[in-house]
């Protein structure tokens, strides 16, 4: 296991190919052509080895979740991204030479691959980038230690907030119930119900006094009870509900105690929390200032977010336009069939044939002394004769309706095309910018840089 090549070994192999030297202007054309062929062979070999190592890393991953697989294969994925960029650079060089164009600009890429296997963050750069990365990691370790130190206080404060929210909700529900009982409408409803129940009981007791004395006595007793409950209900409504109000005051004291406890914990936790927030801001600035690919990714995400609604609208317009185009073709075929020579005559001939057939069948039944059947067939023939002008009117109406629908479809297609052109005027620059930023992000993420004069290519 220890003899397996590391990501740094593969990066050294990519440097050993000498792709960057192929872009030097003073190299002999034959030497450059041989170097291009050798570079393609070596890149093809390394592509297979890197893919094999990435697949092996997936198999060695302890958990098969997407995040664990990403962390396990992050280093090899970054090397494959660098490999992809190098293949494109060699292809650009070869195409420029074959077309007689000026050679592309020379480039260089990082000598070291470094990062954190636990988080899956890997980078390609030089010694200065490694030193800066280590400094950032030391700062991150300090920030993580403060976060771990503040975790118990955060949990306590979160528990106090949850308890306070529960007590506040309970207090609000009880207060709403107390206020609703103290509304005049509540006692009015209670009195109305008692009066209704008493009146009903009294009527029943009076009606059944001679027939069922027992039922009548119970009903009259219920009527009297309802009459006695009315003043009791009024007194109960006017006097405060001592038990519920006492519970509410106890709940308010609990809320005050919990709120005081939360304020005390917040005051003790606030300095540490402010320190952590300040360190987080500084840490994010360090990352933004060090990793230029991070800034490019932010810009790229912003353009993608801006272009997404336009892209969705363009797709919706294309889908609707395809549907309208299909409807238009169907209507045109139908109109073409209706405008063919003899189409109307064939339809009229069908009605005439129905008239003749009905008349012939009616004549046959008449000759067979079947007057009822003959009358039915003659009536059917007359009905078919009446259908001839109606068929002509229907033919004209259907033609006009078909032309109207066709004009509506064509108008809608024109509207969609106009809207699509207007949206594409806004979307096309965004799409070009997105493609440019994607290419720039890949080069920057792969560690490809343009060397200065003080950094000669080796």
């Amino acid at each position: 296991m220890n003899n397996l090549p590391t990501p740094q070994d593969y990066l050294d192999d990519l440097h050993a190919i000498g792709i960057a030297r192929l872009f030097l202007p003073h190299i002999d054309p034959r030497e450059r052509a041989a170097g291009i062929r050798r570079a393609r062979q070596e890149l093809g070999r390394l592509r297979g080895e890197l893919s094999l190592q990435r697949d092996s890393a997936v198999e060695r991953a302890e958990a098969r979740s997407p995040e664990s697989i990403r962390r396990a294969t992050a280093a090899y994925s970054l090397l494959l991204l660098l490999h992809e960029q190098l293949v494109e650079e060699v292809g650009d060089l070869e195409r420029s030479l074959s077309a007689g164009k000026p050679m592309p600009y020379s480039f260089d890429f990082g000598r070291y691959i470094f990062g954190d296997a636990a988080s899956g963050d890997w980078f390609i750069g030089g010694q200065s980038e490694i030193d800066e990365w280590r400094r950032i990691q030391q700062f991150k370790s300090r920030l993580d230690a403060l976060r771990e130190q503040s975790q118990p206080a955060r949990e306590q404060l979160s528990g106090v907030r949850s308890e306070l929210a529960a007590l506040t909700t309970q207090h609000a529900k009880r207060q709403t119930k107390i206020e609703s009982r103290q509304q005049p409408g509540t006692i009015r409803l209670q009195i109305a119900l008692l009066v209704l129940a008493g009146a009903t009981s009294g009527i029943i007791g009076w009606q059944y006094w001679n027939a069922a004395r027992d039922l009548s006595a119970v009903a009259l007793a219920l009527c009297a009870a309802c009459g006695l409950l009315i003043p009791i209900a009024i007194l109960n409504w006017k006097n405060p509900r001592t038990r519920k109000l006492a519970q509410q005051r106890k709940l308010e004291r609990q809320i005050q105690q919990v709120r005081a406890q939360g304020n005390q914990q917040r005051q003790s936790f606030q300095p540490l929390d402010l320190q952590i927030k300040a360190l987080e801001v500084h840490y994010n600035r360090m990352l933004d200032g060090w990793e230029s690919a991070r800034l490019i990714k932010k810009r790229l995400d912003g353009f993608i977010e801006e272009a997404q609604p336009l892209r969705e609208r363009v797709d919706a317009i294309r889908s609707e336009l395809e549907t309208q185009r299909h409807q238009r073709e169907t209507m045109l075929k139908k109109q073409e069939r209706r405008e063919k020579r003899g189409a109307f005559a064939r339809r009229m001939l069908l009605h005439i044939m129905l008239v003749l057939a009905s008349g012939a069948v009616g004549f046959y039944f008449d000759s067979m002394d079947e007057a009822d059947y003959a009358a039915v067939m003659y009536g059917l023939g007359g009905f078919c004769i009446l259908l001839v002008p109606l068929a002509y009117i229907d033919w004209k109406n259907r033609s006009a309706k078909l032309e109207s629908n066709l004009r509506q479809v064509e108008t809608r297609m024109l509207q969609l095309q106009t809207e699509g052109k207007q949206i594409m005027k806004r979307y096309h620059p965004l799409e070009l910018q997105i493609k440019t930023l994607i290419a720039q992000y890949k080069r920057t993420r792969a560690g490809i840089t343009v060397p200065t004069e003080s950094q000669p290519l080796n």
Side-chain angles (χ1 to χ4, degrees), residues 157-175 248 251-252 254-255 258-259:
L157 189 58
S158 177
V160 170
R161 288 174 179 171
S162 300
E163 184 180 0
L164 182 61
L167 292 175
T168 304
T169 303
Q170 186 178 0
H171 179 273
K173 289 182 179 178
R174 288 187 177 179
Q175 187 65 29
Q248 193 74 342
L251 193 60
E252 290 174 355
Q254 291 179 359
I255 291 174
V258 173
R259 186 176 287 118

Side-chain angles (χ1 to χ4, degrees), residues 60-217:
R60 292 194 302 268
E62 296 180 357
R64 291 308 179 96
S65 63
E67 181 61 23
S68 64
I69 293 176
R70 184 196 69 82
R71 291 195 300 265
T73 60
Y76 296 105
S77 298
L78 181 58
L79 289 172
L80 285 171
L81 177 61
L82 174 60
H83 179 279
E84 176 187 345
Q85 298 302 309
L86 294 178
V87 170
E88 291 184 3
E89 294 290 344
V90 173
D92 291 342
L93 176 61
E94 195 172 16
R95 286 189 293 269
S96 299
L97 293 176
S98 61
K101 297 180 180 179
M103 287 195 309
Y105 291 106
S106 60
F107 67 95
D108 195 7
F109 55 96
R111 295 285 174 176
Y112 305 101
I113 180 170
F114 54 93
D116 183 14
S119 63
D121 296 330
W122 288 87
F123 308 94
I124 295 176
Q127 186 61 46
S128 60
E129 284 80 8
I130 292 180
D131 296 338
E132 183 66 17
W133 168 256
R134 290 172 180 171
R135 189 175 71 87
I136 292 175
Q137 291 305 301
Q138 291 176 358
F139 190 88
K140 184 176 180 295
S141 300
R142 178 187 172 192
L143 180 58
D144 292 340
L146 288 176
R147 286 172 177 168
E148 185 177 358
Q149 179 183 351
S150 65
Q151 188 61 29
R154 288 180 185 274
E155 294 177 355
Q156 292 179 2
L157 189 58
S158 177
V160 170
R161 288 174 179 171
S162 300
E163 184 180 0
L164 182 61
L167 292 175
T168 304
T169 303
Q170 186 178 0
H171 179 273
K173 289 182 179 178
R174 288 187 177 179
Q175 187 65 29
T176 302
K177 188 178 295 185
I178 292 173
E179 291 177 355
S180 65
R181 291 184 65 88
Q182 293 177 350
Q183 294 293 330
T186 303
I187 188 59
R188 290 171 185 169
L189 178 61
Q190 292 178 359
I191 293 174
L193 293 175
L194 289 173
V195 169
L196 180 62
T200 304
S201 302
I203 293 172
I204 293 174
W206 180 69
Q207 289 289 337
Y208 290 95
W209 177 257
N210 296 323
R213 289 294 181 92
D214 295 337
L215 177 62
S216 177

Side-chain angles (χ1 to χ4, degrees), residues 257-295:
Q257 293 175 359
V258 173
R259 186 176 287 118
Q261 182 183 358
N263 292 333
Q264 184 179 0
Q265 291 184 358
R266 190 180 297 107
Q267 290 177 0
S268 61
F269 173 69
Q270 189 174 14
L272 183 59
D273 186 44
L274 293 176
Q275 184 180 3
I276 291 174
K277 289 181 179 179
L279 292 178
E280 286 176 347
V281 172
H282 185 58
Y283 175 70
N284 291 329
R285 289 178 180 175
M286 291 172 67
L287 286 180
D288 292 339
W290 174 74
E291 188 188 356
S292 55
R294 184 185 178 96
L295 296 178

Side-chain angles (χ1 to χ4, degrees), residues 180-391:
S180 65
R181 291 184 65 88
Q182 293 177 350
Q183 294 293 330
T186 303
I187 188 59
R188 290 171 185 169
L189 178 61
Q190 292 178 359
I191 293 174
L193 293 175
L194 289 173
V195 169
L196 180 62
T200 304
S201 302
I203 293 172
I204 293 174
W206 180 69
Q207 289 289 337
Y208 290 95
W209 177 257
N210 296 323
R213 289 294 181 92
D214 295 337
L215 177 62
S216 177
V218 172
L220 291 175
L222 182 60
C223 178
C226 291
L228 293 174
L229 286 176
I230 291 176
I232 296 175
I234 295 174
L235 293 175
N236 187 33
W237 175 75
K238 287 187 175 181
N239 295 328
R241 301 183 61 81
T242 308
R243 185 172 59 85
K244 288 189 175 295
L245 291 177
Q247 293 176 354
Q248 193 74 342
R249 287 193 295 269
K250 181 180 178 181
L251 193 60
E252 290 174 355
R253 288 194 297 269
Q254 291 179 359
I255 291 174
Q256 292 177 358
Q257 293 175 359
V258 173
R259 186 176 287 118
Q261 182 183 358
N263 292 333
Q264 184 179 0
Q265 291 184 358
R266 190 180 297 107
Q267 290 177 0
S268 61
F269 173 69
Q270 189 174 14
L272 183 59
D273 186 44
L274 293 176
Q275 184 180 3
I276 291 174
K277 289 181 179 179
L279 292 178
E280 286 176 347
V281 172
H282 185 58
Y283 175 70
N284 291 329
R285 289 178 180 175
M286 291 172 67
L287 286 180
D288 292 339
W290 174 74
E291 188 188 356
S292 55
R294 184 185 178 96
L295 296 178
I296 298 175
K297 185 65 165 59
K298 286 184 178 180
R299 292 182 58 199
L300 178 60
D301 292 340
F303 279 110
I304 291 176
E305 184 178 0
E306 183 180 356
Q308 185 64 26
L310 299 178
R311 182 63 188 176
E312 292 176 355
R313 182 55 187 159
V314 169
D315 293 339
I317 289 175
R318 287 176 178 172
S319 177
E320 186 178 356
L321 191 61
E322 185 65 25
T323 304
Q324 296 290 337
R325 187 178 289 110
H326 180 70
Q327 292 181 359
R328 179 176 178 272
E329 292 176 357
T330 303
M331 291 179 181
L332 286 175
K333 290 179 181 179
K334 188 180 294 185
Q335 189 180 37
E336 184 180 356
R337 288 196 302 268
R338 294 177 68 87
E339 292 179 353
K340 281 184 178 179
R341 185 176 180 180
F344 179 72
R346 285 193 297 271
R347 184 166 183 178
M348 294 297 103
L349 180 62
L350 176 62
H351 286 281
I352 294 173
M353 293 297 294
L354 289 175
V355 171
L356 294 176
S358 300
V361 174
F363 179 76
Y364 171 75
F365 282 124
D366 195 10
S367 63
M368 297 294 294
D369 294 331
E370 298 287 346
D372 294 337
Y373 291 108
V376 171
M377 297 308 299
Y378 287 145
L380 182 61
F383 179 72
C384 291
I385 292 175
L386 294 176
L387 286 180
V388 173
L390 294 178

